[in-house]
Amino acid sequence: MRPEELLHPAPEGLYCPAGDFYIDPVRPVDRALVTHGHADHARAGNNHVLATSQTLDIMRIRFGEHYARTSQIADYGKPLNINGVTVTFYPAGHVLGSAQIAVEYQGTRIVASGDYKRVADKTCAPFEPVACDVFITEATFGLPVFRHPRPADEITKLLQSLQLLPERSHIVGAYALGKAQRVISLLRQAGYDAPIYLHGALEKLCQYYQSQGVALGELRPATSETTHQKADFAGSLIIAPPAAMADRWSRRFPDPVSCYASGWMRIRQRAKQSGIELPLILSDHCDWDELTDTITELSPSQAWVTHGREEALVRWCTLNSITAKPLHLVGYEDEADI
Ligand SMILES: [Zn+2]
């Protein structure tokens, strides 16, 4: 069987005709396999959803009880049979509960890795390399210019700024699922043990991470205008969704230093344009070296490249004797670093 017959792009998402299921569909379908809880991969309204228990919990938190008609838990490493097709979920190292999905049928194995990264991250299970015929890789940062610095060094920048500017507050823009918890976890690993204040939109997911055993230390709500004076926040660290940083909400804090944790902060122009004083280059996606090292390590017969800078990675594969093509899936964000 040609791999394209086992799995191919359709308007709804990546489709497996033999198993009659879609991976991360962008439109409601009967049977969806979901790699992780980010909004561009996990959507409400499917009839049946198969995902890790943590991804299902995250979907419930984000969309409510009725995010799907029925759901089924996929345990990491445990093969399941769907209409004769074997599917197995493996950790992707992207956010809590994130998975790569191996699809196997008549001797052909395709691994759809969803979003993934290879650097250590205490907030989720590490990426597990899975041998395969076809590896489907993201390419969010698929250009050689993207080389993420060490996360600990970026956190040191933040801690130094806190020390140098004790009268000011620091607001770190970070996405609610994964990035916020990773920033907090890295701060704790660096020895920062003061309470960290949270925008209301981050509370539920942070509580969920803590319930799953991720150590985040003492977290306090930063939402009460009545119980806090502005000066109470001097020297404090607040985590907020990026969208909240520019609105009225942020005015309650004393002369805030605006920080933003994102892989896109590598591009100085972007940081400047968004008025970010302290850019923190911190991504939950692979950089160029992680992408090419992973493909080298797995050495698949084919690599299919999706969401992001597809052409450069396809070219790199070709130069390295790996058959490659862009998948041109639609509906996945490459802007948001979510
Ligand atoms: Zn993601």
mmCIF file of all heavy atoms in Angstrom, residues 157-178:
data_model
loop_
_atom_site.group_PDB
_atom_site.id
_atom_site.type_symbol
_atom_site.label_atom_id
_atom_site.label_comp_id
_atom_site.label_asym_id
_atom_site.label_seq_id
_atom_site.Cartn_x
_atom_site.Cartn_y
_atom_site.Cartn_z
ATOM 1 N N LYS A 157 17.459 35.927 32.280
ATOM 2 C CA LYS A 157 17.231 37.319 31.852
ATOM 3 C C LYS A 157 16.073 37.933 32.637
ATOM 4 O O LYS A 157 16.126 39.068 33.083
ATOM 5 C CB LYS A 157 16.839 37.356 30.362
ATOM 6 C CG LYS A 157 17.975 37.301 29.391
ATOM 7 C CD LYS A 157 17.435 37.765 28.028
ATOM 8 C CE LYS A 157 17.730 36.781 26.943
ATOM 9 N NZ LYS A 157 16.964 37.035 25.713
ATOM 10 N N LEU A 158 15.014 37.153 32.769
ATOM 11 C CA LEU A 158 13.821 37.628 33.484
ATOM 12 C C LEU A 158 14.140 37.853 34.964
ATOM 13 O O LEU A 158 13.764 38.879 35.541
ATOM 14 C CB LEU A 158 12.699 36.602 33.310
ATOM 15 C CG LEU A 158 11.388 36.846 34.060
ATOM 16 C CD1 LEU A 158 10.773 38.189 33.694
ATOM 17 C CD2 LEU A 158 10.384 35.719 33.762
ATOM 18 N N LEU A 159 14.858 36.922 35.575
ATOM 19 C CA LEU A 159 15.186 37.046 37.000
ATOM 20 C C LEU A 159 16.108 38.246 37.241
ATOM 21 O O LEU A 159 15.961 38.960 38.238
ATOM 22 C CB LEU A 159 15.825 35.748 37.512
ATOM 23 C CG LEU A 159 14.864 34.552 37.562
ATOM 24 C CD1 LEU A 159 15.603 33.270 37.916
ATOM 25 C CD2 LEU A 159 13.728 34.812 38.559
ATOM 26 N N GLN A 160 17.023 38.485 36.318
ATOM 27 C CA GLN A 160 17.915 39.647 36.462
ATOM 28 C C GLN A 160 17.135 40.949 36.371
ATOM 29 O O GLN A 160 17.373 41.888 37.120
ATOM 30 C CB GLN A 160 19.011 39.607 35.393
ATOM 31 C CG GLN A 160 20.109 38.615 35.744
ATOM 32 C CD GLN A 160 21.083 38.375 34.601
ATOM 33 O OE1 GLN A 160 20.826 38.734 33.452
ATOM 34 N NE2 GLN A 160 22.217 37.753 34.913
ATOM 35 N N SER A 161 16.171 40.999 35.457
ATOM 36 C CA SER A 161 15.359 42.198 35.306
ATOM 37 C C SER A 161 14.541 42.462 36.572
ATOM 38 O O SER A 161 14.410 43.601 37.027
ATOM 39 C CB SER A 161 14.451 42.044 34.078
ATOM 40 O OG SER A 161 13.686 43.194 33.896
ATOM 41 N N LEU A 162 13.996 41.396 37.155
ATOM 42 C CA LEU A 162 13.230 41.517 38.409
ATOM 43 C C LEU A 162 14.098 42.098 39.524
ATOM 44 O O LEU A 162 13.654 42.920 40.316
ATOM 45 C CB LEU A 162 12.735 40.136 38.850
ATOM 46 C CG LEU A 162 11.402 39.670 38.271
ATOM 47 C CD1 LEU A 162 11.264 38.161 38.398
ATOM 48 C CD2 LEU A 162 10.236 40.345 38.993
ATOM 49 N N GLN A 163 15.344 41.661 39.541
ATOM 50 C CA GLN A 163 16.273 42.112 40.569
ATOM 51 C C GLN A 163 16.653 43.576 40.374
ATOM 52 O O GLN A 163 16.746 44.350 41.321
ATOM 53 C CB GLN A 163 17.536 41.265 40.470
ATOM 54 C CG GLN A 163 18.089 40.854 41.803
ATOM 55 C CD GLN A 163 19.124 39.752 41.639
ATOM 56 O OE1 GLN A 163 19.767 39.629 40.585
ATOM 57 N NE2 GLN A 163 19.295 38.949 42.665
ATOM 58 N N LEU A 164 16.837 43.972 39.112
ATOM 59 C CA LEU A 164 17.298 45.331 38.791
ATOM 60 C C LEU A 164 16.195 46.366 38.903
ATOM 61 O O LEU A 164 16.465 47.546 39.118
ATOM 62 C CB LEU A 164 17.866 45.364 37.360
ATOM 63 C CG LEU A 164 19.193 44.642 37.157
ATOM 64 C CD1 LEU A 164 19.521 44.541 35.672
ATOM 65 C CD2 LEU A 164 20.322 45.387 37.890
ATOM 66 N N LEU A 165 14.948 45.939 38.735
ATOM 67 C CA LEU A 165 13.832 46.889 38.723
ATOM 68 C C LEU A 165 12.797 46.524 39.794
ATOM 69 O O LEU A 165 11.659 46.166 39.479
ATOM 70 C CB LEU A 165 13.172 46.889 37.332
ATOM 71 C CG LEU A 165 14.102 47.169 36.152
ATOM 72 C CD1 LEU A 165 13.430 46.835 34.823
ATOM 73 C CD2 LEU A 165 14.558 48.625 36.150
ATOM 74 N N PRO A 166 13.174 46.620 41.090
ATOM 75 C CA PRO A 166 12.287 46.122 42.152
ATOM 76 C C PRO A 166 11.011 46.939 42.340
ATOM 77 O O PRO A 166 10.054 46.453 42.936
ATOM 78 C CB PRO A 166 13.172 46.207 43.409
ATOM 79 C CG PRO A 166 14.205 47.223 43.093
ATOM 80 C CD PRO A 166 14.431 47.178 41.612
ATOM 81 N N GLU A 167 10.974 48.178 41.809
ATOM 82 C CA GLU A 167 9.770 49.011 41.979
ATOM 83 C C GLU A 167 8.709 48.694 40.931
ATOM 84 O O GLU A 167 7.552 49.068 41.076
ATOM 85 C CB GLU A 167 10.130 50.508 41.859
ATOM 86 C CG GLU A 167 11.172 50.988 42.849
ATOM 87 C CD GLU A 167 10.781 50.659 44.282
ATOM 88 O OE1 GLU A 167 9.588 50.855 44.610
ATOM 89 O OE2 GLU A 167 11.642 50.176 45.037
ATOM 90 N N ARG A 168 9.145 48.030 39.874
ATOM 91 C CA ARG A 168 8.213 47.767 38.785
ATOM 92 C C ARG A 168 7.675 46.343 38.879
ATOM 93 O O ARG A 168 8.274 45.478 39.518
ATOM 94 C CB ARG A 168 8.921 47.969 37.439
ATOM 95 C CG ARG A 168 9.413 49.400 37.241
ATOM 96 C CD ARG A 168 10.127 49.574 35.919
ATOM 97 N NE ARG A 168 9.238 49.433 34.760
ATOM 98 C CZ ARG A 168 9.667 49.489 33.495
ATOM 99 N NH1 ARG A 168 10.956 49.672 33.226
ATOM 100 N NH2 ARG A 168 8.813 49.366 32.504
ATOM 101 N N SER A 169 6.540 46.094 38.227
ATOM 102 C CA SER A 169 6.063 44.714 38.109
ATOM 103 C C SER A 169 6.536 44.185 36.755
ATOM 104 O O SER A 169 6.927 44.959 35.883
ATOM 105 C CB SER A 169 4.537 44.689 38.187
ATOM 106 O OG SER A 169 4.005 45.474 37.151
ATOM 107 N N HIS A 170 6.507 42.885 36.619
ATOM 108 C CA HIS A 170 6.831 42.257 35.332
ATOM 109 C C HIS A 170 5.628 41.424 34.894
ATOM 110 O O HIS A 170 5.179 40.558 35.644
ATOM 111 C CB HIS A 170 8.053 41.342 35.458
ATOM 112 C CG HIS A 170 9.349 42.088 35.512
ATOM 113 N ND1 HIS A 170 9.681 42.925 36.551
ATOM 114 C CD2 HIS A 170 10.396 42.139 34.640
ATOM 115 C CE1 HIS A 170 10.886 43.455 36.319
ATOM 116 N NE2 HIS A 170 11.334 42.990 35.167
ATOM 117 N N ILE A 171 5.106 41.709 33.704
ATOM 118 C CA ILE A 171 4.015 40.881 33.167
ATOM 119 C C ILE A 171 4.569 40.047 32.018
ATOM 120 O O ILE A 171 5.102 40.588 31.043
ATOM 121 C CB ILE A 171 2.844 41.730 32.640
ATOM 122 C CG1 ILE A 171 2.324 42.664 33.746
ATOM 123 C CG2 ILE A 171 1.718 40.833 32.150
ATOM 124 C CD1 ILE A 171 1.106 43.472 33.336
ATOM 125 N N VAL A 172 4.466 38.734 32.151
ATOM 126 C CA VAL A 172 4.951 37.837 31.102
ATOM 127 C C VAL A 172 3.762 37.332 30.299
ATOM 128 O O VAL A 172 2.875 36.662 30.844
ATOM 129 C CB VAL A 172 5.718 36.634 31.701
ATOM 130 C CG1 VAL A 172 6.224 35.716 30.584
ATOM 131 C CG2 VAL A 172 6.879 37.106 32.573
ATOM 132 N N GLY A 173 3.732 37.646 29.024
ATOM 133 C CA GLY A 173 2.699 37.119 28.130
ATOM 134 C C GLY A 173 3.044 35.681 27.776
ATOM 135 O O GLY A 173 4.149 35.400 27.314
ATOM 136 N N ALA A 174 2.095 34.771 28.019
ATOM 137 C CA ALA A 174 2.336 33.352 27.735
ATOM 138 C C ALA A 174 1.002 32.682 27.470
ATOM 139 O O ALA A 174 0.013 32.960 28.153
ATOM 140 C CB ALA A 174 3.026 32.687 28.926
ATOM 141 N N TYR A 175 0.942 31.798 26.473
ATOM 142 C CA TYR A 175 -0.311 31.119 26.157
ATOM 143 C C TYR A 175 -0.750 30.210 27.294
ATOM 144 O O TYR A 175 0.068 29.671 28.031
ATOM 145 C CB TYR A 175 -0.187 30.365 24.836
ATOM 146 C CG TYR A 175 -0.252 31.332 23.692
ATOM 147 C CD1 TYR A 175 0.896 31.798 23.080
ATOM 148 C CD2 TYR A 175 -1.479 31.841 23.291
ATOM 149 C CE1 TYR A 175 0.828 32.743 22.072
ATOM 150 C CE2 TYR A 175 -1.562 32.779 22.282
ATOM 151 C CZ TYR A 175 -0.402 33.224 21.670
ATOM 152 O OH TYR A 175 -0.487 34.159 20.685
ATOM 153 N N ALA A 176 -2.095 30.090 27.402
ATOM 154 C CA ALA A 176 -2.702 29.453 28.580
ATOM 155 C C ALA A 176 -2.380 27.972 28.700
ATOM 156 O O ALA A 176 -2.274 27.455 29.807
ATOM 157 C CB ALA A 176 -4.218 29.642 28.527
ATOM 158 N N LEU A 177 -2.231 27.287 27.571
ATOM 159 C CA LEU A 177 -1.952 25.852 27.636
ATOM 160 C C LEU A 177 -0.486 25.582 27.298
ATOM 161 O O LEU A 177 -0.075 25.701 26.146
ATOM 162 C CB LEU A 177 -2.860 25.077 26.663
ATOM 163 C CG LEU A 177 -2.538 23.587 26.505
ATOM 164 C CD1 LEU A 177 -2.596 22.852 27.829
ATOM 165 C CD2 LEU A 177 -3.478 22.925 25.497
ATOM 166 N N GLY A 178 0.281 25.267 28.297
ATOM 167 C CA GLY A 178 1.662 24.837 28.074
ATOM 168 C C GLY A 178 2.693 25.899 28.355
ATOM 169 O O GLY A 178 3.553 25.729 29.221
#
